[in-house]
């Protein structure tokens, strides 16, 4: 059981917008720790997608955006493309500064 | 090219030991915090351990505390994970990853390709 809760799967048609939620608690996200998001394409290592709740590393399209409020965070993907099909993970920290991950969300592009 | 390359994975019997290495190149390794993250194929990411840039502080997941030891050699640009008393549930792909920490934490921005550890008799 992961410390951060994500939906197991989401789906959307090409061009549509999807959101992936990440729910934590007062011990992690709610304690004002930053949330980061990772994309893991099939058979590859994870890739940093969003850092510090809302920031995109260089090279990440602005179709990807992050937000955070209270004990939750969200990743939004607009203009869905077939190449976005992947597993997405949120990550934060807990009160001992240990790292906590969400269980992952599989995005299917219909 | 910024790169992390893990090595040292393999098949080991329960109760055995293994040492993983992660060689860094293309960036200032000594300025980064480093992590080990594992993943059972088909399952999610699980954080294992972290070490600060100067190696002074280490942190472990409860599941490996007392059995695994993370260390680094900044002169060799290499991260290590010594794994003792291995259990079948430690079977996974092990990734090393780097993180910039300057006041705030900036996420794990460079990942290795992973090395597979299989614990089985």
């Amino acid at each position: 059981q992961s410390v951060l809760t994500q939906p197991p799967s989401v789906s959307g048609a090409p061009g549509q917008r999807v959101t992936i939620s990440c729910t934590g608690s007062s011990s992690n996200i709610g304690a004002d720790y930053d949330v980061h998001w990772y994309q893991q394409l099939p058979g590859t290592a994870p890739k940093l997608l969003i850092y510090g709740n809302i920031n995109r590393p260089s090279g990440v399209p602005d179709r990807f955006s992050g937000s955070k409020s209270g004990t939750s965070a969200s990743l939004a993907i607009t203009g869905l493309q077939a190449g976005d099909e992947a597993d997405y993970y949120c990550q934060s920290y807990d009160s001992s500064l240990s790292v906590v991950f969400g269980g992952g969300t599989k995005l299917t592009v219909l | 090219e910024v790169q992390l390359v893990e090595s040292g994975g393999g098949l080991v019997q329960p109760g055995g030991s293994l040492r993983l290495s992660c060689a860094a190149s293309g960036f200032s390794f000594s300025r980064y915090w480093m992590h080990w993250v594992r993943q059972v194929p088909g399952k999610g990411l699980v954080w294992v351990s972290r070490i600060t840039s100067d190696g002074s502080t280490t942190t472990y997941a409860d599941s490996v505390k007392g059995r695994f030891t993370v260390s680094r050699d900044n002169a060799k640009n290499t991260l290590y994970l010594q794994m003792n008393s291995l259990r079948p549930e430690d079977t996974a792909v092990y990734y090393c990853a780097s993180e910039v920490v300057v006041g705030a934490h900036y996420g794990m921005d460079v990942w290795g390709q992973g090395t597979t550890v299989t614990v089985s008799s």
Side-chain angles (χ1 to χ4, degrees):
Chain A
Q1 201 75 320
S2 300
V3 173
L4 305 179
T5 300
Q6 297 179 233
S9 63
V10 297
S11 62
Q16 284 191 333
R17 178 181 186 269
V18 296
T19 62
I20 299 172
S21 60
C22 174
T23 302
S25 69
S26 58
S27 300
N28 39 67
I29 297 176
D32 205 28
Y33 291 114
D34 283 340
V35 177
H36 315 301
W37 290 89
Y38 302 87
Q39 177 193 58
Q40 187 175 31
L41 297 169
T44 70
K47 167 191 168 184
L48 182 64
L49 199 63
I50 298 288
Y51 69 93
N53 306 315
I54 61 171
N55 304 292
R56 286 185 306 276
S58 174
V60 173
D62 60 6
R63 299 187 298 106
F64 296 89
S65 63
S67 64
K68 175 189 163 186
S69 178
T71 59
S72 296
S74 288
L75 172 71
I77 310 171
T78 59
L80 265 183
Q81 300 177 0
D84 297 333
E85 203 161 89
D87 294 323
Y88 292 84
Y89 296 89
C90 61
Q91 179 246 304
S92 188
Y93 308 85
D94 70 11
S95 53
S96 63
L97 274 186
S98 294
V99 171
V100 291
F101 280 103
T105 298
K106 182 177 181 59
L107 169 63
T108 300
V109 180
L110 302 172
Chain B
E1 180 190 4
V2 173
Q3 200 173 9
L4 292 171
V5 178
E6 301 96 336
S7 60
L11 174 64
V12 60
Q13 291 189 338
S17 298
L18 214 52
R19 188 175 86 152
L20 306 183
S21 298
C22 169
S25 59
F27 65 101
S28 298
F29 177 74
S30 62
R31 296 172 61 184
Y32 283 69
W33 289 29
M34 296 297 297
H35 299 265
W36 287 100
V37 176
R38 68 186 182 186
Q39 184 176 36
V40 174
K43 302 295 184 182
L45 301 173
V46 176
W47 176 76
V48 172
S49 180
R50 176 195 61 220
I51 186 167
T52 53
S53 55
D54 63 359
S56 62
T57 303
T58 58
T59 314
Y60 300 91
D62 287 344
S63 59
V64 307
K65 203 172 293 183
R67 300 187 299 123
F68 290 12
T69 302
V70 61
S71 62
R72 65 192 296 161
D73 186 337
N74 284 345
K76 295 183 177 179
N77 290 338
T78 304
L79 172 74
Y80 303 99
L81 184 67
Q82 178 67 44
M83 304 186 294
N84 299 330
S85 303
L86 282 161
R87 306 167 179 168
E89 55 265 35
D90 295 319
T91 295
V93 175
Y94 284 73
Y95 296 101
C96 61
S98 62
E99 180 180 35
V100 171
V101 179
V102 182
H105 291 253
Y106 287 81
M108 301 178 201
D109 62 339
V110 181
W111 292 69
Q113 84 289 352
T115 187
T116 300
V117 172
T118 303
V119 184
S120 175
S121 53

